[in-house]
Amino acid sequence: MTAMLKKTLIRLSNASRLVYILALVASSAAYAVPSDLSLTGNLSSPTISVNNSSTLTYTLSNSSSSNSASAIGFTINLPTNVVIADQTNDSMSCGSGDYTLSAGGNSVIASGYQLGQGQNCQLVFNITASAAGVFNITSTELSSSDDIGPDSSTTLTVSDTNVFAALSLSSSSISAGGSTELTLALFNPSDASVYGFSGQIILPEGLVISSTTNLTSDCGDYMTLAQSADARSITLSSQNSPFEFFAFLPPGSVGTPSSCSVIIDVLSSGAGNFNLTTSDMTYSGGSIKIGKAGASLSVQKQFVNMVLDPFTVTPGQTANLNVTLTNFDRSNTANNITFTDDLNAALTGLIATGLPLNNACGSGSVVSGTGSVSLTNGSLAGGESCSFTIPVTVPVGASIGSYTNTVSNISSSIDTYPSVTNSFRVSNAPTLTMSVVESPITAGDAITLRYTLTNIDGANAVSDLTVSTVIGATSVASITTLPGSNFCNGSGISAISSPTIDSFNVDLSAITLAASESCSFDVGLTLSEGLNSGSYYFTAQQIIATIGGNSVSSKSPSASASIIVDTAPSLRFSFQDNVMLPGASGFIDFELSHHLNASA
């Protein structure tokens, strides 16, 4: 074989070897084993308004059927203008490992987690955005001790032209057992009226809605507010009909949005830091997303804690100011305890009765005063507390409203302490409850709307009481019976009005109630045969009445009642022949129908 031929064969051999290696590399890339690890993100509301929030849930999964994964870590990156919300509400269901995140931050770092074969767990937290746009949230660096997972991306859309919401507190720091006013404000920056709002205000453990809540709304006559049985949430909804009178907000503009508010009183049952949030709010029948709103509340265990019981009092009523003092220093006795409570500064004419109280908080201590109450010479051993009650009388001429009482000049032999506040409300407006008697309910049923009116004023009669209940369109229900004349303890007139086309109200007027008196009566309704399955509300508007020559008004709305409708199957039949001879055969046509929107 010549030298030239040998060189040619060597070149061919080397070329073949190179082709074979390249083929192996290509084959390896084409048939690479996929990772068993995955991290996927999901937003509770993929679209939100500027400065509202959405809950971001990441699901970490190990899809292997044979191998566990350990030392799992990953990073979540938020883009510019997107940060972790102040109310982080973060949680992690993976049993081991650590993660770091903080309100206002733009990343989450997790490490040291373990997952068995086929297992998954979730990391949850809230995010918010300060500008409009479309934002990509990415997860990177997913890995374990012997695996590397893929990156992932989740998209958040933020609008500055949709309705937006804000949650706020009249006081963001209160004493244990105290109360604060919670306001949900809605804003419309668009040039059109908006309809069909839906959402909830949700309270965490340790907070409840006041049993005599100052629950008010100026978000249109058709915004309904329903309190949950455990007093932990308020559900809000409004009619989704494109008529001006159904709107919960009129037109506004980007610079000057229209606005309305829903207000409730919140009571604390224990100390701690609490995050208050709404659900994911929507409007236009759920088609437009707002996102969530949040606020934070600090409830402190104070050296002096005062709560007026009941929270809502009437002019002229005597209530109990319950006082508790606690020495949190377990090593030292607190002597020479003093405080001052200027009741007259909280409400002119508010006075204490039944004083002095001797030995109320330690031997030799004295609680004294009328318009201004003081404790002197109190004493508490380390870690001990004392409690006593001061009767207080509300002035007969007190104006309706909310008031704040401040306890100051608090000191002991151990320390001086910051002033503390407690709030209460004065109202003598009549109250109303509404309920539906029947259950379960289906389309076409006759139902009974039961009312109970109460004069909470124990000293004065109510006269000229009027209130209207929004029943709505006949596509929901028709008014079939009214309570008639003199239905409320010998007084009262009832009528039907139609403020707009195909919208009907039950109007009650000329009602009189003696001091502390109540009356109950019914209104009959028939539900539409074509009513869809779902929840429906009937809302009583603000009560207007006269007490002691003065006009008073209740919260707005004054009451509401809800029904849950399940559209059951219906059966109809008819003879094909209108006339038949004796002994002749005929046919009957049967029609069994089940509503499209029935629950089952």
Side-chain angles (χ1 to χ4, degrees):
M1 185 178 296
T2 65
M4 181 63 71
L5 180 59
K6 287 182 179 180
K7 289 180 180 179
T8 300
L9 289 174
I10 290 170
R11 289 192 187 101
L12 287 172
S13 176
N14 289 339
S16 298
R17 189 178 296 114
L18 179 60
V19 170
Y20 178 69
I21 291 171
L22 290 173
L24 284 176
V25 171
S27 175
S28 175
Y31 296 99
V33 177
S35 172
D36 292 326
L37 287 178
S38 65
L39 184 66
T40 56
N42 182 64
L43 288 161
S44 62
S45 183
T47 299
I48 62 173
S49 298
V50 170
N51 293 324
N52 288 125
S53 63
S54 181
T55 299
L56 180 54
T57 300
Y58 272 96
T59 301
L60 177 65
S61 301
N62 175 20
S63 61
S64 173
S65 59
S66 57
N67 297 317
S68 297
S70 61
I72 302 172
F74 56 85
T75 299
I76 297 168
N77 310 286
L78 303 181
T80 301
N81 296 320
V82 178
V83 297
I84 298 167
D86 287 341
Q87 292 74 39
T88 60
N89 288 2
D90 56 295
S91 65
M92 176 61 120
S93 64
C94 303
S96 61
D98 295 291
Y99 68 93
T100 58
L101 62 75
S102 59
N106 58 9
S107 67
V108 181
I109 299 174
S111 62
Y113 288 98
Q114 298 180 4
L115 281 177
Q117 56 196 48
Q119 289 185 336
N120 61 67
C121 59
Q122 291 183 326
L123 170 65
V124 180
F125 57 96
N126 289 339
I127 60 171
T128 186
S130 58
V134 178
F135 302 96
N136 287 323
I137 302 162
T138 59
S139 68
T140 59
E141 302 176 11
L142 174 62
S143 65
S144 69
S145 56
D146 55 6
D147 196 2
I148 296 177
D151 296 345
S152 68
S153 178
T154 305
T155 301
L156 174 69
T157 302
V158 183
S159 170
D160 59 1
T161 57
N162 291 344
V163 170
F164 59 97
L167 205 60
S168 62
L169 297 158
S170 59
S171 177
S172 59
S173 180
I174 61 175
S175 301
S179 67
T180 186
E181 200 172 72
L182 176 64
T183 299
L184 173 65
L186 301 173
F187 302 88
N188 178 20
S190 73
D191 59 0
S193 296
V194 287
Y195 314 87
F197 178 86
S198 178
Q200 278 187 313
I201 301 172
I202 305 166
L203 302 182
E205 288 282 354
L207 300 177
V208 295
I209 298 162
S210 169
S211 58
T212 52
T213 178
N214 172 34
L215 194 158
T216 59
S217 168
D218 61 358
C219 296
D221 290 339
Y222 292 86
M223 177 71 81
T224 61
L225 296 85
Q227 180 176 317
S228 64
D230 61 0
R232 293 273 309 283
S233 69
I234 291 282
T235 299
L236 299 94
S237 62
S238 70
Q239 292 273 5
N240 186 37
S241 299
F243 298 100
E244 193 69 30
F245 52 86
F246 285 133
F248 68 91
L249 278 173
S253 65
V254 172
T256 55
S258 61
S259 65
C260 70
S261 297
V262 175
I263 302 172
I264 62 174
D265 290 324
V266 174
L267 296 176
S268 66
S269 58
N273 295 315
F274 300 95
N275 285 332
L276 294 78
T277 59
T278 69
S279 65
D280 286 301
M281 297 171 286
T282 65
Y283 64 103
S284 290
S287 64
I288 303 179
K289 315 293 184 184
I290 298 173
K292 299 179 179 181
S296 296
L297 176 66
S298 176
V299 181
Q300 306 290 331
K301 287 184 177 180
Q302 305 282 8
F303 185 77
V304 177
N305 186 52
M306 283 194 182
V307 177
L308 189 68
D309 183 25
F311 173 77
T312 298
V313 291
T314 61
Q317 180 181 354
T318 296
N320 291 323
L321 188 59
N322 296 324
V323 184
T324 298
L325 290 86
T326 304
N327 179 10
F328 295 104
D329 187 334
R330 295 184 176 276
S331 302
N332 299 290
T333 297
N335 294 312
N336 301 319
I337 299 172
T338 64
F339 69 70
T340 301
D341 185 0
D342 191 346
L343 300 176
N344 191 66
L347 170 60
T348 302
L350 181 66
I351 60 171
T353 60
L355 299 184
L357 292 176
N358 296 316
N359 304 317
C361 192
S363 178
S365 63
V366 179
V367 180
S368 60
T370 51
S372 180
V373 174
S374 62
L375 167 69
T376 57
N377 201 34
S379 63
L380 283 171
E384 296 297 317
S385 63
C386 69
S387 297
F388 52 90
T389 297
I390 303 172
V392 296
T393 300
V394 181
V396 173
S399 299
I400 308 305
S402 296
Y403 296 88
T404 299
N405 180 35
T406 301
V407 184
S408 59
N409 303 321
I410 307 169
S411 65
S412 74
S413 58
I414 297 175
D415 204 351
T416 58
Y417 309 93
S419 298
V420 296
T421 60
N422 60 91
S423 60
F424 61 95
R425 181 168 177 79
V426 176
S427 176
N428 63 345
T431 62
L432 173 65
T433 62
M434 294 167 54
S435 62
V436 175
V437 175
E438 294 79 11
S439 180
I441 297 170
T442 190
D445 280 359
I447 62 172
T448 305
L449 195 57
R450 181 153 295 167
Y451 294 70
T452 299
L453 271 169
T454 302
N455 177 11
I456 65 172
D457 193 316
N460 301 289
V462 170
S463 62
D464 300 323
L465 187 153
T466 64
V467 62
S468 293
T469 303
V470 178
I471 303 301
T474 53
S475 59
V476 175
S478 299
I479 303 166
T480 51
T481 58
L482 293 173
S485 298
N486 302 321
F487 55 85
C488 182
N489 300 345
S491 68
I493 299 171
S494 61
I496 298 173
S497 66
S498 181
T500 57
I501 297 173
D502 197 30
S503 180
F504 297 91
N505 292 356
V506 172
D507 297 330
L508 308 173
S509 61
I511 297 172
T512 299
L513 285 169
S516 301
E517 190 176 50
S518 296
C519 70
S520 295
F521 50 90
D522 296 338
V523 169
L525 306 176
T526 299
L527 301 181
S528 169
E529 291 279 357
L531 194 61
N532 293 348
S533 292
S535 297
Y536 297 86
Y537 296 87
F538 306 107
T539 303
Q541 297 172 335
Q542 190 174 51
I543 297 171
I544 306 296
T546 300
I547 297 180
N550 298 313
S551 178
V552 298
S553 56
S554 74
K555 63 187 182 182
S556 177
S558 57
S560 65
S562 63
I563 58 172
I564 298 176
V565 175
D566 196 0
T567 50
S570 62
L571 177 66
R572 302 174 188 272
F573 65 91
S574 61
F575 289 92
Q576 288 187 358
D577 300 307
N578 293 328
V579 178
M580 296 182 64
L581 296 173
S585 298
F587 294 92
I588 301 175
D589 293 329
F590 290 88
E591 180 185 5
L592 180 64
S593 62
H594 196 198
H595 201 283
L596 176 65
N597 293 324
S599 62

